[in-house]
Amino acid sequence: MLVSPPCPPRPPPPARWVVAAAGRERGGAGMWRRLRALRDGGRRWQHRPAIQVTNEPILEFKPGSPERAALQKALADLKGKTEDIPCVIGGEEVWTPTVRYQLSPFNHAHKVAKYCYASKELINKAINAALAARKEWDLKPVQDRAQIFLKAADMLSGPRRAEVLAKTMVGQGKTVIQAEIDAAAELIDFFRFNAKYALELEQSQPLSVDISTNSMVYRGLEGFVAAVSPFNFTAIGGNLAGAPALMGNVVLWKPSDTALLSSYAIYKILLEAGLPPNVVQFVPSDGPEFGDTVTSSEHFCGLNFTGSVPTFKRLWKQVSENLDRYRNFPRLAGECGGKNFHVVHSSADVGSAVNATLRSAFEFGGQKCSACSRLYAPASLWPHIKEKLLEEHGKIKVGDPAQDFGTFFSAVIDDKSFARIKKWLEHARSSPNLTILAGGGCDDSVGYFVEPCIVESKDPQDPIMKEEIFGLIWGILGLMFTGCVAIWVALEIFGLILIVLWAHRRFLGPILMVCDVISVAQDIFGSILVGFVIFWGQSSWFVVFFGLHWRFLGRS
């Protein structure tokens, strides 16, 4: 049976962070005192590691373990309860008439959170409150700002871990392992490593000589940053709002409607760790109204975004149309999903290819920007892959992750996602180019449950092979041509991740040639590739390409 994998053995506890950078003076005088002290040390700025951190251990939640008992208690405490979540503006809790509810995906009768939308007037009030706090926060030494996030990481690692995991599981439908690697391990690492890099950045200074002193002062942006976070990763929400704040910025955080419960928990932890109330404004709101309001403000100076391509394009367009209004050129940082795919070489180990692709496609219901939604397989290997796929598909366990820790995945996030996936299933049934090999059933009577669906396509241009679904439908194409051509055809569509699987070291050379082809195409057609990693695992070689953009082959 395909169930959630056991977590790796717990490594020794990480060494506690120790701040090596000294000096706690407040304001500009203290900053210049520290700069003079560094200057007097010699010509070359001395660079020392600011703090020592390690990756947060992933807990195993074995029967009888203390972490399992703590999580089960936290889940029991949430059962049948609805948490009130206000807007938090200027440190004050504010309610508006526009009340909404967050529902548990696997039991939509359970309203896990009651919240309200901020109006345009309230969003503008949040902007003013943030701007009032900007100067004082920016002048606060980075060592003091880092301490807040390091303390928040310790709280997440210890006493608040079970609470945040339980709220991620109940509110977003994650299994215990998916919640642990997201809301605990990844977010803790974000806070700790961000603090480490911030301290090291301040210590990274230009060279000086006897007759000239060069120095770099790192300042926050002059305005506010809008952080727009997705439902699918609790850690991303905390990082999108937290990273700009760490670097001296003030932030308006718009959390996802379907992740309010866990996002508010992270926000409260940051406040308890010492984050001043006005540094991050917690602003649940209607997406278009939030976007329209923040991008029309003259003080808008940055966007930190994770979400869909259409939403990011809309925000980018709004910013470009308002350029003459801004006091500065806004910085826009965004990460979106894509039509990711795996290419299986004829030498690949079938079992490894099938297991890797099933996990990539269906963990957390395929609701990840990195999830595989296409597989290109050679015709010679396809019958063996198909047989193994159907065998393993029958073992997938779907259900309530709060009741059964062995559940592989749960329901999709909400009724909108359910309706969108159902529409694609109807297309799969009606298209002459498509054959449903397994799954495809759906039932929203209790929760938004969709069976994992495997669809075989005869046409690489069928919409199911080109458009992002962000759900439990996975398209497969049996190929009669080589892997290089497969990659070329597949790259016509925007994809965030490409993985090539093969078995023998002798094919490493040709795979590296593919990397060269993509690099050349990048020079010709524009930036399409951020990087790639080659590694060995489970009887197969893998090459993972990151950041495959849709400008390839002239698409814009």
Side-chain angles (χ1 to χ4, degrees):
M1 178 174 292
L2 188 59
V3 297
S4 296
C7 298
R10 186 190 305 184
R16 291 189 59 80
W17 46 268
V18 179
V19 176
R24 293 285 176 190
E25 298 92 346
R26 306 272 176 168
M31 176 183 67
W32 289 111
R33 239 180 258 121
R34 293 195 299 276
L35 289 175
R36 284 196 295 272
L38 285 171
R39 177 196 65 192
D40 295 340
R43 291 188 180 185
R44 188 178 298 271
W45 291 90
Q46 301 298 316
H47 180 78
R48 301 189 305 268
I51 57 174
Q52 295 179 353
V53 298
T54 58
N55 291 113
E56 175 68 12
I58 298 174
L59 303 186
E60 300 181 59
F61 296 92
K62 290 182 177 179
S65 66
E67 64 264 22
R68 188 182 182 102
L71 178 57
Q72 288 174 329
K73 181 181 183 304
L75 288 167
D77 291 342
L78 294 176
K79 194 169 184 178
K81 293 184 179 179
T82 303
E83 182 172 347
D84 290 341
I85 300 178
C87 301
V88 184
I89 311 297
E92 297 181 359
E93 296 184 358
V94 181
W95 283 92
T96 70
T98 314
V99 174
R100 298 284 189 274
Y101 291 92
Q102 179 188 350
L103 310 180
S104 177
F106 52 84
N107 178 17
H108 49 59
H110 181 194
K111 298 176 179 178
V112 299
K114 175 186 176 182
Y115 64 98
C116 64
Y117 275 168
S119 63
K120 180 179 180 180
E121 293 72 24
L122 198 56
I123 296 169
N124 282 319
K125 184 179 179 180
I127 292 172
N128 293 331
L131 294 174
R134 188 193 69 79
K135 186 174 181 180
E136 181 181 356
W137 177 246
D138 187 27
L139 289 174
K140 195 177 187 71
V142 69
Q143 292 89 349
D144 291 353
R145 298 197 301 264
Q147 292 277 358
I148 295 169
F149 288 90
L150 292 168
K151 183 177 180 180
D154 284 350
M155 294 169 66
L156 283 164
S157 179
R160 306 297 288 276
R161 191 185 202 115
E163 173 199 347
V164 174
L165 292 186
K167 289 180 176 180
T168 299
M169 292 173 68
V170 172
Q172 289 139 268
K174 290 206 168 187
T175 64
V176 60
I177 179 59
Q178 291 293 314
E180 167 69 6
I181 62 177
D182 165 26
E186 185 173 6
L187 183 53
I188 292 165
D189 283 356
F190 273 143
F191 285 168
R192 285 180 176 157
F193 280 91
N194 285 354
K196 168 186 169 67
Y197 297 144
L199 292 169
E200 289 180 351
L201 183 64
E202 188 188 49
Q203 292 184 7
S204 179
Q205 293 286 337
L207 297 181
S208 292
V209 294
D210 291 337
I211 61 172
S212 176
T213 299
N214 301 310
S215 60
M216 176 78 75
V217 178
Y218 294 92
R219 303 173 56 240
L221 302 175
E222 294 187 0
F224 70 92
V225 174
V228 180
S229 58
F231 76 86
N232 56 345
F233 284 97
T234 301
I236 291 179
N239 189 52
L240 290 180
L246 171 64
M247 298 308 297
N249 297 285
V250 289
V251 181
L252 267 66
W253 180 9
K254 184 213 166 300
S256 169
D257 292 357
T258 45
L260 257 298
L261 188 65
S262 61
S263 296
Y264 190 56
I266 300 305
Y267 178 68
K268 291 193 295 183
I269 288 171
L270 286 171
L271 294 179
E272 291 172 27
L275 187 73
N278 276 347
V279 171
V280 176
Q281 315 288 323
F282 192 77
V283 193
S285 55
D286 173 70
E289 185 165 37
F290 181 84
D292 293 345
T293 307
V294 297
T295 57
S296 63
S297 169
E298 64 177 328
H299 299 287
F300 176 75
C301 68
L303 172 67
N304 217 11
F305 174 89
T306 295
S308 70
V309 171
T311 301
F312 191 47
K313 289 174 68 178
R314 181 181 188 273
L315 289 167
W316 196 300
K317 184 177 181 180
Q318 287 178 299
V319 171
S320 67
E321 291 173 347
N322 290 326
L323 276 179
D324 292 337
R325 179 178 299 181
Y326 301 133
R327 296 190 175 194
N328 292 286
F329 287 100
R331 281 74 162 171
L332 278 65
E335 188 269 329
C336 306
K339 197 69 175 173
N340 309 314
F341 62 98
H342 290 185
V343 174
V344 181
H345 190 269
S346 58
S347 70
D349 178 77
V350 171
S352 296
V354 167
N355 287 331
T357 309
L358 279 175
R359 291 197 179 281
S360 177
F362 296 140
E363 279 186 337
F364 190 43
Q367 301 171 119
K368 297 182 181 182
C369 57
S370 57
C372 176
S373 55
R374 292 178 290 166
L375 176 72
Y376 293 88
S380 60
L381 204 58
W382 170 234
H384 306 288
I385 292 176
K386 179 179 178 180
E387 180 182 3
K388 186 67 174 176
L389 274 175
L390 297 180
E391 176 187 341
E392 294 300 322
H393 179 276
K395 302 176 183 178
I396 294 176
K397 191 174 185 180
V398 183
D400 181 341
Q403 296 296 324
D404 184 357
F405 283 8
T407 299
F408 183 67
F409 72 84
S410 183
V412 296
I413 191 65
D414 61 9
D415 55 345
K416 295 178 183 176
S417 177
F418 181 85
R420 184 181 66 251
I421 295 171
K422 188 175 181 179
K423 184 177 179 181
W424 278 105
L425 289 171
E426 292 169 358
H427 167 72
R429 294 188 184 97
S430 61
S431 172
N433 297 319
L434 304 176
T435 303
I436 295 179
L437 300 180
C442 47
D443 181 2
D444 63 349
S445 57
V446 177
Y448 304 113
F449 287 99
V450 180
E451 293 178 357
C453 183
I454 303 175
V455 178
E456 183 178 9
S457 175
K458 301 174 184 177
D459 179 11
Q461 301 300 324
D462 189 275
I464 213 164
M465 300 295 289
K466 299 177 67 174
E467 297 186 28
E468 185 181 9
I469 301 173
F470 215 65
L472 288 155
I473 302 176
W474 172 30
I476 298 177
L477 182 69
L479 299 172
M480 297 300 293
F481 39 79
T482 66
C484 290
V485 177
I487 294 172
W488 187 271
V489 170
L491 278 175
E492 289 185 348
I493 304 103
F494 167 65
L496 185 70
I497 303 261
L498 149 65
I499 296 181
V500 182
L501 306 98
W502 77 101
H504 301 298
R505 181 180 290 272
R506 67 176 181 271
F507 293 112
L508 183 58
I511 293 297
L512 290 174
M513 288 177 62
V514 172
C515 299
D516 289 338
V517 168
I518 293 178
S519 297
V520 171
Q522 175 170 281
D523 294 336
I524 298 172
F525 298 110
S527 176
I528 65 164
L529 182 64
V530 173
F532 61 89
V533 177
I534 297 177
F535 62 95
W536 169 263
Q538 296 186 353
S539 306
S540 289
W541 285 87
F542 297 77
V543 58
V544 183
F545 297 88
F546 303 97
L548 299 165
H549 291 235
W550 58 7
R551 285 190 291 164
F552 192 51
L553 298 183
R555 290 182 176 264
S556 60

